Amino acid sequence: METLPATDEIPRFAADRMLARLARWLRLLGADVICDERLDGAAMLRRARVEHRVMLTRDKRLRTASDVLYLEPDDFRAQLRAVLTRFPFNVYRHAFTRCSRCNVPLGRVARETVSARVPSFVYATQENFAQCDRCGRVYWEATHPARARREIDRLMRR
Ligand SMILES: [Zn+2]
């Protein structure tokens, strides 16, 4: 398996609204990605520039801009590989530190405080919990475990 060079700093992205699934995956890998279905490509590009983000788009009209990564593929896995080829970062180091829906960093929470909000078998078997302050979703280490790691491995291999 080819090893990607790691960078300490993960680039910040803005994804157009055709790339919502890609945005969620990049967040699971730790990247800061904004995606807003109310904004069209041009509006998102303006916001990306204001916030110094790399724009990810499937909009052909934007492909000539120098600060845009145009993604031809329809499949999110191929899109993700294209992003990581252009902007390699260590996908394991920061994985699962950010809410995949809200794009905010997760905070560690005391185990007792989540007992009513997670399945009892999870509570019984897990020690460490994290929470999204925005949506309240609780994450635990086994939320993403082996299956997600395998998926990452598969994505990296092709
Ligand atoms: Zn959230």
Side-chain angles (χ1 to χ4, degrees), residues 11-103:
R12 287 149 31 96
F13 300 104
D16 79 24
R17 56 192 173 188
M18 289 178 280
L19 295 170
R21 190 171 187 191
L22 172 67
R24 285 197 300 275
W25 267 94
L26 283 168
R27 289 172 191 145
L28 277 178
L29 299 177
D32 176 341
V33 189
I34 57 170
C35 185
D36 188 336
E37 63 183 17
R38 296 162 300 181
L39 299 182
D40 67 14
M44 184 53 101
L45 180 56
R46 281 195 296 277
R47 187 171 161 194
R49 285 174 173 162
V50 168
E51 299 184 15
H52 305 291
R53 292 172 181 273
V54 175
M55 175 80 180
L56 308 174
T57 189
R58 296 206 62 219
D59 188 337
K60 279 199 173 89
R61 290 168 300 181
L62 303 177
R63 68 184 301 174
T64 55
S66 62
D67 50 353
V68 163
L69 180 61
Y70 170 70
L71 296 168
E72 176 103 53
D74 186 41
D75 174 61
F76 84 95
R77 291 182 181 83
Q79 293 165 353
L80 189 55
R81 285 195 297 276
V83 172
L84 291 171
T85 299
R86 179 72 180 75
F87 300 99
F89 64 88
N90 187 327
V91 294
Y92 298 101
R93 189 187 303 166
H94 301 284
F96 314 124
T97 57
R98 185 176 293 272
C99 181
S100 64
R101 296 175 188 175
C102 308
N103 194 40

Side-chain angles (χ1 to χ4, degrees), residues 99 101-104 132 134-137 139:
C99 181
R101 296 175 188 175
C102 308
N103 194 40
V104 300
C132 171
R134 187 166 302 170
C135 73
R137 190 175 186 206
Y139 290 76

